[in-house]
Amino acid sequence: MKKILFSIISFVILISLPNALQLPVDVTAENVILLNLDTNEVIYEKNPDNQVILASLTKIMTAYTVINNVENLDKKVTITEDDLANLYGFTCAGLELNDKVSYRDLLYGMMLVSGADASQALALHISGSKEAFNELMNKEASKVGLRHSNFADSYGGDDNNVSTAREMSFLLKTALEDETFKKIFTTNYYTMTNGLQVVNYTASLATFHGLDSKIITGNKSGYTPEAGLLLASTATIKGTNYLLITCKSKENTYLTQHVLDSYKIYNYLENIEFKEQTLIKKGTILKKIKTHNSTISEYLIMIDKDIKATLTDEEYNNVTFDYHIVDKLTPENKIGDNLGYVDILVNNEIIDTYHVYLHDEIFSYQKESKIIIIIIIALIFIIIVLLCTNIMNFEKKRF
């Protein structure tokens, strides 16, 4: 009789380098990543793992570091000459010597108007020196899990402030889980306790180009000639929340190309419909693996739940699978062995890779024979014991 062993398994997604489709629209930005914040899926990407100069996107890390290391953000500090020193050529919030402002004020001044003076003041008042604050920033980055990022100052003036679009998307997503950061990131106007008003002008730039300024719900921009134009933003489109990082957009006349690139992607999302598509149904047999020198003839790999992804109908119709699963199993294979993987592709682009593992022991004929012999010996021993017991009882009754 043919014996078959079923292995009902769940795929395990590779988390080190999640894959996504290439960006379907043409933008000048050299590095892009689009994340669905509701499902935590990377939807589209363009060179997301290339290291880039961050410019003022560095301030996202500065804000995250401050919020995680200051207990009372409403504590006030006095602006000193050191806070304002050596910032010629950088955008400033407009702080003046001896101004009394809170850490919260400085965070708004840094994030909304990209004030280098507010950034430097935060670094000096929290850590005592620029170097100590840089060390703190990199320590926090390591905690978050950023492996290809480095932070060399608090405001992004140093070209050694580097990261990748993917790591910045992860940092921003993590930071947005904090309500204080989220409120600052999504605010366009703020008045400091010293009366100084700061404004985020990204919405105005969108309006200038005839774009809907309400699409972007939060943002932080950046620019230096070396870094190009950068924008980290969030948007809500058709009830879905997105996070977008664009880096190294080309310069245009008004230095607004980063906004135009981002809107081109958001406008594309407005004209398509994403759905949660079932790619592999529960109960699907992936493969029947032949076994050798075993008590079973086949080992079946079966899915225990639906495997899904968020795709457009067009993308779903172009889904294919590339199987790389072993053809043979023997009793030498052990539970936990990697049996291979399955690539899921859309338009011949890999969007996810899943690994399959052995969940059951493969028994050999010899092992089964030994087990049978042991069982037979045990049964014979039990029978002999019972017979002896009965004989002894019988003899006792006779006498």
Side-chain angles (χ1 to χ4, degrees), residues 47 99 167 187 340 389:
N47 304 320
D99 273 350
E167 291 203 347
T187 296
T389 302

Side-chain angles (χ1 to χ4, degrees), residues 20 68 79 120 143 148 160 187 223 238 241 252 268 336 342 348 363 391 393:
N68 278 279
I79 299 302
Q120 187 161 270
K143 287 181 182 178
H148 306 288
N160 288 313
T187 296
Y223 168 74
K238 297 180 180 177
N241 297 303
N252 60 343
Y268 173 79
V342 180
N348 295 320
F363 291 98
I391 291 171
N393 291 335

Side-chain angles (χ1 to χ4, degrees), residues 105-363:
D105 289 335
L106 293 173
L107 284 169
Y108 277 98
M110 175 181 70
M111 292 295 287
L112 270 62
V113 75
S114 204
D117 49 354
S119 301
Q120 187 161 270
L122 284 167
L124 293 177
H125 285 278
I126 290 171
S127 297
S129 71
K130 298 177 184 179
E131 294 75 18
F133 189 77
N134 295 347
E135 185 177 343
L136 185 59
M137 289 176 72
N138 285 297
K139 182 179 178 180
E140 291 293 334
S142 179
K143 287 181 182 178
V144 174
L146 309 187
R147 296 181 296 169
H148 306 288
S149 302
N150 179 68
F151 298 95
D153 64 34
S154 62
Y155 53 90
D158 194 315
D159 287 348
N160 288 313
N161 289 295
V162 294
S163 187
T164 68
R166 191 186 304 282
E167 291 203 347
M168 288 307 294
S169 73
F170 184 69
L171 171 62
L172 180 54
K173 177 185 177 298
T174 302
L176 286 168
E177 293 170 1
D178 181 271
E179 287 302 317
T180 297
F181 180 93
K182 184 176 181 180
K183 185 176 181 180
I184 296 170
F185 189 77
T186 56
T187 296
N188 288 326
Y189 305 94
Y190 180 81
T191 302
M192 295 186 186
T193 53
N194 67 341
L196 182 64
Q197 293 183 331
V198 289
V199 181
N200 184 325
Y201 288 104
T202 300
S204 299
L205 297 178
T207 301
F208 174 77
H209 285 287
L211 303 168
D212 184 0
S213 62
K214 295 180 181 178
I215 288 180
I216 290 182
T217 56
N219 73 91
K220 180 70 194 78
S221 62
Y223 168 74
T224 65
E226 294 76 21
L229 290 154
L230 309 93
L231 187 65
S233 62
T234 55
T236 302
I237 299 172
K238 297 180 180 177
T240 300
N241 297 303
Y242 294 96
L243 185 157
L244 176 64
I245 306 290
T246 60
C247 303
K248 297 188 74 173
S249 290
K250 296 186 184 307
E251 293 184 24
N252 60 343
T253 303
Y254 302 103
L255 293 181
T256 56
Q257 190 60 52
H258 53 329
V259 177
L260 296 175
D261 282 345
S262 296
Y263 266 85
K264 193 168 187 177
I265 295 167
Y266 287 137
N267 288 336
Y268 173 79
L269 294 177
E270 285 191 312
N271 294 313
I272 63 170
E273 188 71 38
F274 282 109
K275 298 178 183 176
E276 187 178 53
Q277 310 276 11
T278 299
L279 306 181
I280 308 177
K281 292 184 177 180
K282 178 181 178 179
T284 299
I285 296 175
L286 288 184
K287 188 171 183 177
K288 299 177 181 180
I289 305 176
K290 296 293 183 183
T291 60
H292 291 259
N293 300 321
S294 172
T295 56
I296 59 171
S297 59
E298 288 182 333
Y299 187 85
L300 303 188
I301 304 295
M302 183 182 292
I303 304 301
D304 71 339
K305 64 179 181 180
D306 292 341
I307 304 299
K308 300 180 179 182
T310 303
L311 301 169
T312 65
D313 286 336
E314 181 181 354
E315 290 165 348
Y316 176 71
N317 291 331
N318 290 294
V319 172
T320 56
F321 304 94
D322 191 6
Y323 297 90
H324 301 271
I325 301 175
V326 298
D327 296 316
K328 181 179 72 173
L329 288 173
T330 72
E332 294 180 2
N333 289 104
K334 304 299 180 185
I335 293 176
D337 283 358
N338 190 324
L339 304 184
Y341 60 93
V342 180
D343 285 334
I344 295 180
L345 305 91
V346 175
N347 297 320
N348 295 320
E349 293 180 23
I350 297 173
I351 62 168
D352 271 317
T353 299
Y354 299 90
H355 281 247
V356 178
Y357 299 90
L358 182 63
H359 282 218
D360 306 281
E361 188 172 356
I362 306 297
F363 291 98

